[in-house]
C-alpha cells in the first residue's frame, strides 16, 4: 500500500526549499544598466558575496544561504561605493541618488540601516562643524591662550558626538550600528584608590583596564569580524602586546582564557585561535615564538580545530611549530658536528667558552656579507671581555665558496660546512633558520639564551645578560 503526503505538507516543503533567506532591494537614481556586486569585510580582507544586474535603476540581492551579520558594501567597476549593514533583519530596501549616495539614502524596512546612515550624516555634519576649529588648533602661529576658545569649541563638538553615540548604544544595543560604535569606545579608568597604609595603589589602573578591556567588545560575536576596520585583530593585539609582560607562559595563559570566551561561537573560535598563530608566527619580541608552539599544541595538534582546518594547512602549522620547538629559548641546543675547511669534524659542544655564538650564513647571501664584517669586528674587540666563541655554519655545500668567504672576510672563528654533517638531523631542523644570517647565543651549558639577534645587538644583550646573572648570584638565586 502506497502512502502519500498530504498536499498541504508538500506545498510547505517546496516553499521552504525555495524561500530566500535574504533579500535586499536597491534603487539608485541615475544609474545605467550594468552589473553590481555585493561584498563584505572579513578581518583585514574583503570578500565578494553576490552579483546583481541593474535594470531601470533597480537591482536585488537575494539567496537561499543566510548573510552573516556585519558590514557590507556595493562594488561597481571594481570600486567600492558605500557601506551598509546586515543585522538581525536581512529583508529591506534602500533607495538613493547617484549624485550623493549617502546623503540621499532612504531605508525602508530596517531600523539598523536607518541608524547607520543617520549616524554617517551626523558625523559628516560634525566634521564640517569642526573644520574651522581644527584649522585654528593646527595654526602654529597662535599660542595656547589664543587657541583656548577653539579647544573649548572642539570639546563641545566631541561631547555632541559622544552623547549621540551613547544614545544609539543604549537604545539599540543589538544593532550592528551600535556594535560599530562600541568597538571604538574607550574604557574610562577611575583614579587609583589608596591602600590601608595611605599609599596609592600603583597597579590598580592597569588591573582595572585589563579587567574591563572587553566590556564593549564581545569576542564571541562574529559580526565584529566583518567590520570596515579589523577591530577584532586590533583588540587581540593590543590586549596581548600592551597589557602583559612579553613572557610566553603569561601570553599563552591569556590566550587560553580569551579562547574560552570566543569558543561560544565556532566562527569566532577559529578566527581567534588562527589569528593568534599569525600574531606569533614571526613575533617582534625574541622568544615569543614559543607562543606559536603552545597554541599549535593546544588547539591544532590536539584536534580541537579539526572542525574547520584543512589537512595541508594543519601540516604547514605543524612543520613550523616543530622547527621552532627544537630551538626555543631556555631549551638545551642540540650539538652540531660538521666538517671544517680542512675536512676535519668540528663539534660545537667542544667549545668550552662561557658563550657560544652560533652563526648560520650563506656565502652568497647579501645580508650575510653586510653582517659578517660587523661580527668580525665584535669578535676581535669583545671575545675576551665576554669569553665567547663563534661557531659559523655555511648553508651552501660548496667548500670552495666557504673557503673563499673565510679568506675574504678574514673570519677568525670556527667555520663548518652545514651539509657536510656527522649528525642525523639537518641543522635547520635543530636551529630554526629560514633566513640568513641567523644568530643563536648559547651559555656554557649550551642552553639557548638568545636567538635571531642582529650583530649590532650582541654587545647590548651580553652586557645586560652578564649584569642579570651577576644580580642573580648576588641575591643567592644563581642557577
Amino acid at each position: 500500500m502506497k502512502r502519500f503526503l498530504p498536499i498541504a505538507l508538500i506545498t510547505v516543503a517546496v516553499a521552504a526549499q525555495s524561500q530566500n533567506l535574504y533579500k535586499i532591494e536597491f534603487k539608485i537614481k541615475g544609474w545605467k544598466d550594468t552589473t553590481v556586486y555585493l561584498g563584505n569585510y572579513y578581518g583585514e580582507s574583503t570578500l565578494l558575496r553576490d552579483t546583481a544586474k541593474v535594470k531601470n535603476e533597480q537591482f536585488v540581492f537575494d539567496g537561499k544561504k543566510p548573510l552573516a551579520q556585519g558590514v557590507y558594501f556595493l562594488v561597481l567597476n571594481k570600486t567600492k561605493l558605500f557601506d551598509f549593514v546586515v543585522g538581525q533583519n536581512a529583508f529591506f530596501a534602500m533607495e538613493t541618488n547617484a549624485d550623493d549616495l549617502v546623503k540621499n539614502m532612504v531605508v525602508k524596512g530596517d531600523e539598523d540601516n536607518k541608524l547607520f546612515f543617520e549616524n554617517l550624516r551626523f558625523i559628516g555634519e560634525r566634521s564640517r562643524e569642526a573644520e574651522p576649529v581644527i584649522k585654528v588648533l593646527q595654526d602654529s602661529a597662535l599660542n595656547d591662550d589664543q587657541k583656548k576658545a577653539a579647544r573649548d569649541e572642539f570639546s563641545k563638538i566631541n561631547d555632541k558626538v559622544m552623547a549621540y553615540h551613547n544614545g544609539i548604544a543604549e537604545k539599540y544595543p543589538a544593532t550592528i550600528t551600535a556594535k560599530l560604535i562600541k568597538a571604538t569606545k574607550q574604557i574610562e579608568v577611575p583614579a587609583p584608590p589608596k591602600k590601608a597604609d595611605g599609599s596609592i595603589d600603583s597597579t590598580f589602573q592597569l588591573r582595572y583596564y585589563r579587567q574591563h578591556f572587553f566590556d564593549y567588545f564581545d569576542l564571541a560575536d562574529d559580526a565584529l569580524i566583518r567590520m570596515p576596520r579589523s577591530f577584532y585583530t586590533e583588540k587581540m593585539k593590543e590586549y596581548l602586546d600592551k597589557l602583559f609582560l612579553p613572557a610566553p607562559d603569561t601570553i599563552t595563559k591569556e590566550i587560553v582564557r580569551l579562547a574560552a570566551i570566543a569558543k561560544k561561537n565556532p566562527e569566532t573560535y577559529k578566527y581567534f585561535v588562527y589569528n593568534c598563530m599569525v600574531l606569533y608566527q614571526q613575533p617582534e619580541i625574541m622568544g615569543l615564538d614559543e607562543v606559536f608552539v603552545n597554541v599549535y599544541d593546544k588547539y591544532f595538534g590536539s584536534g580541537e580545530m579539526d572542525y574547520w582546518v584543512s589537512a595541508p594547512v594543519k601540516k604547514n602549522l605543524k612543520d613550523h611549530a616543530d622547527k621552532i620547538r627544537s630551538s626555543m629559548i631556555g631549551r638545551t641546543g642540540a650539538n652540531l658536528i660538521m666538517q671544517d675547511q680542512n675536512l676535519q669534524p668540528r663539534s660545537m659542544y667542544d667549545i668550552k667558552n662561557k658563550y657560544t655564538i652560533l652563526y648560520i650564513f650563506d656565502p652568497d647571501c647579501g645580508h650575510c656579507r653586510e653582517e659578517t664584517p660587523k661580527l668580525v669586528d665584535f669578535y676581535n674587540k669583545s671575545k675576551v671581555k665576554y669569553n665567547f666563541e663563534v661557531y659559523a655554519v655555511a648553508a651552501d655545500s660548496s667548500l670552495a665558496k666557504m673557503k673563499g668567504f673565510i679568506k675574504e672576510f678574514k673570519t677568525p672563528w670556527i667555520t663548518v660546512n652545514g651539509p657536510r654533517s656527522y649528525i642525523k638531523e639537518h641543522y635547520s631542523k635543530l636551529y630554526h633558520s629560514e633566513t640568513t644570517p641567523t644568530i643563536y647565543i648559547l651559555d656554557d651549558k649550551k642552553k639557548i639564551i638568545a636567538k635571531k639577534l642582529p650583530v649590532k645587538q650582541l654587545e647590548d644583550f651580553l652586557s645586560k645578560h652578564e649584569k642579570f646573572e651577576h644580580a642573580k648570584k648576588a641575591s643567592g638565586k644563581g642557577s
Side-chain angles (χ1 to χ4, degrees), residues 44-305:
E44 297 178 353
S45 303
T46 54
L47 307 172
L48 291 181
R49 292 296 304 271
D50 205 349
T51 307
K53 295 291 185 181
V54 179
K55 190 172 183 179
N56 298 326
E57 302 180 332
Q58 300 181 62
F59 55 98
V60 178
F61 293 108
D62 56 20
K64 294 176 175 57
K65 291 184 179 180
L67 287 180
Q69 293 190 27
V71 179
Y72 287 71
F73 52 83
L74 293 187
V75 176
L76 180 66
N77 297 327
K78 298 182 180 180
T79 301
K80 184 168 72 71
L81 300 179
F82 63 86
D83 294 342
F84 63 97
V85 299
V86 174
Q88 296 175 342
N89 173 31
F91 294 85
F92 53 90
M94 306 175 76
E95 184 174 330
T96 187
N97 191 300
D99 293 337
D100 194 323
L101 296 167
V102 173
K103 182 179 179 180
N104 298 316
M105 183 63 71
V106 175
V107 179
K108 298 176 182 178
D110 184 52
E111 190 68 42
D112 205 343
N113 271 295
K114 287 180 182 178
L115 291 169
F116 181 78
F117 283 97
E118 285 170 2
N119 178 58
L120 289 180
R121 289 189 283 264
F122 177 83
I123 293 299
E125 291 168 3
R126 300 292 75 75
S127 295
R128 288 188 289 275
E129 187 179 347
E131 280 179 8
V133 179
I134 292 172
K135 285 182 179 179
V136 173
L137 294 174
Q138 293 177 338
D139 189 343
S140 59
L142 302 176
N143 59 40
D144 285 346
D145 289 339
Q146 292 172 309
K147 294 180 181 181
K148 184 179 183 307
R151 282 197 300 271
D152 293 342
E153 183 61 26
F154 187 80
S155 180
K156 290 178 183 178
I157 296 170
N158 188 61
D159 288 344
K160 289 180 189 177
V161 174
M162 294 294 292
Y164 184 81
H165 282 172
N166 288 338
I168 292 175
E170 290 171 10
K171 191 173 181 181
Y172 308 96
T175 61
I176 301 298
T177 305
K179 292 174 182 178
L180 259 171
I181 289 168
K182 289 188 288 186
T184 58
K185 187 175 175 64
Q186 296 296 312
I187 303 297
E188 295 182 10
V189 181
K194 290 185 177 181
K195 297 180 181 178
D197 62 3
S199 63
I200 297 295
D201 185 348
S202 60
T203 65
F204 168 81
Q205 290 185 313
L206 174 60
R207 288 185 283 110
Y208 184 95
Y209 191 61
R210 283 177 182 168
Q211 184 180 352
H212 295 275
F213 188 82
F214 292 104
D215 279 3
Y216 307 119
F217 197 92
D218 183 1
L219 287 168
D221 187 349
D222 62 288
L224 295 171
I225 300 172
R226 302 178 193 88
M227 293 286 168
R229 261 176 59 190
S230 53
F231 293 121
Y232 204 105
T233 304
E234 288 175 16
K235 283 282 186 182
M236 286 173 55
K237 188 170 175 58
E238 181 183 352
Y239 183 80
L240 296 170
D241 284 0
K242 297 184 179 180
L243 301 188
F244 296 91
L245 289 173
D249 290 347
T250 301
I251 299 299
T252 301
K253 181 181 176 181
E254 284 304 312
I255 286 174
V256 171
R257 188 181 73 80
L258 297 180
I261 298 171
K263 189 175 181 178
K264 297 172 187 175
N265 180 333
E267 185 69 18
T268 53
Y269 191 33
K270 74 175 184 180
Y271 186 85
F272 176 85
V273 171
Y274 186 75
N275 270 274
C276 286
M277 299 293 281
V278 173
L279 285 175
Y280 295 100
Q281 184 174 10
Q282 297 287 346
E284 294 179 1
I285 297 176
M286 182 174 63
L288 285 187
D289 53 358
E290 184 176 337
V291 176
F292 183 96
V293 177
N294 295 341
V295 174
Y296 171 80
D297 289 345
K298 183 167 182 62
Y299 297 104
F300 291 91
S302 67
E304 181 78 2
M305 292 287 116

Side-chain angles (χ1 to χ4, degrees), residues 241-382:
D241 284 0
K242 297 184 179 180
L243 301 188
F244 296 91
L245 289 173
D249 290 347
T250 301
I251 299 299
T252 301
K253 181 181 176 181
E254 284 304 312
I255 286 174
V256 171
R257 188 181 73 80
L258 297 180
I261 298 171
K263 189 175 181 178
K264 297 172 187 175
N265 180 333
E267 185 69 18
T268 53
Y269 191 33
K270 74 175 184 180
Y271 186 85
F272 176 85
V273 171
Y274 186 75
N275 270 274
C276 286
M277 299 293 281
V278 173
L279 285 175
Y280 295 100
Q281 184 174 10
Q282 297 287 346
E284 294 179 1
I285 297 176
M286 182 174 63
L288 285 187
D289 53 358
E290 184 176 337
V291 176
F292 183 96
V293 177
N294 295 341
V295 174
Y296 171 80
D297 289 345
K298 183 167 182 62
Y299 297 104
F300 291 91
S302 67
E304 181 78 2
M305 292 287 116
D306 283 357
Y307 74 92
W308 71 271
V309 71
S310 66
V313 170
K314 185 175 179 180
K315 183 182 183 303
N316 288 339
L317 294 174
K318 180 183 185 301
D319 290 347
H320 190 71
D322 288 344
K323 288 177 182 176
I324 297 170
R325 194 188 306 279
S326 60
S327 56
M328 295 191 298
I329 289 176
R331 295 282 184 97
T332 299
N335 191 21
L336 300 177
I337 307 172
M338 299 159 180
Q339 285 185 356
D340 65 10
Q341 60 181 327
N342 299 314
L343 305 182
Q344 296 301 306
R346 302 296 296 270
S347 169
M348 187 172 73
Y349 271 21
D350 285 345
I351 295 173
K352 303 305 179 185
N353 299 68
K354 187 174 183 179
Y355 302 106
T356 300
I357 296 177
L358 174 60
Y359 184 63
I360 301 171
F361 73 99
D362 187 318
D364 292 328
C365 156
H367 191 46
C368 299
R369 300 180 73 81
E370 293 175 6
E371 289 290 285
T372 299
K374 299 174 187 176
L375 184 57
V376 170
D377 185 60
F378 177 70
Y379 184 97
N380 292 332
K381 289 180 179 178
S382 305

Side-chain angles (χ1 to χ4, degrees), residues 385-450:
K385 178 180 178 181
Y386 293 112
N387 186 17
F388 69 84
E389 184 55 82
V390 173
Y391 187 87
V393 178
D396 195 293
S397 61
S398 170
L399 273 179
K401 286 184 179 181
M402 187 181 87
K403 290 179 179 180
F405 193 87
I406 293 170
K407 184 177 180 180
E408 179 181 353
F409 292 102
K410 298 180 175 59
T411 58
W413 50 68
I414 301 165
T415 300
V416 295
N417 190 270
R420 296 171 182 262
S421 177
Y422 294 87
I423 57 176
K424 183 179 179 181
E425 294 282 0
H426 192 273
Y427 71 86
S428 64
K429 290 186 176 181
L430 302 173
Y431 294 93
H432 186 218
S433 51
E434 291 183 343
T435 60
T436 53
T438 294
I439 289 177
Y440 285 83
I441 303 178
L442 294 78
D443 66 10
D444 57 344
K445 296 180 178 64
K446 297 300 182 282
K447 183 176 74 175
I448 298 170
I449 59 173

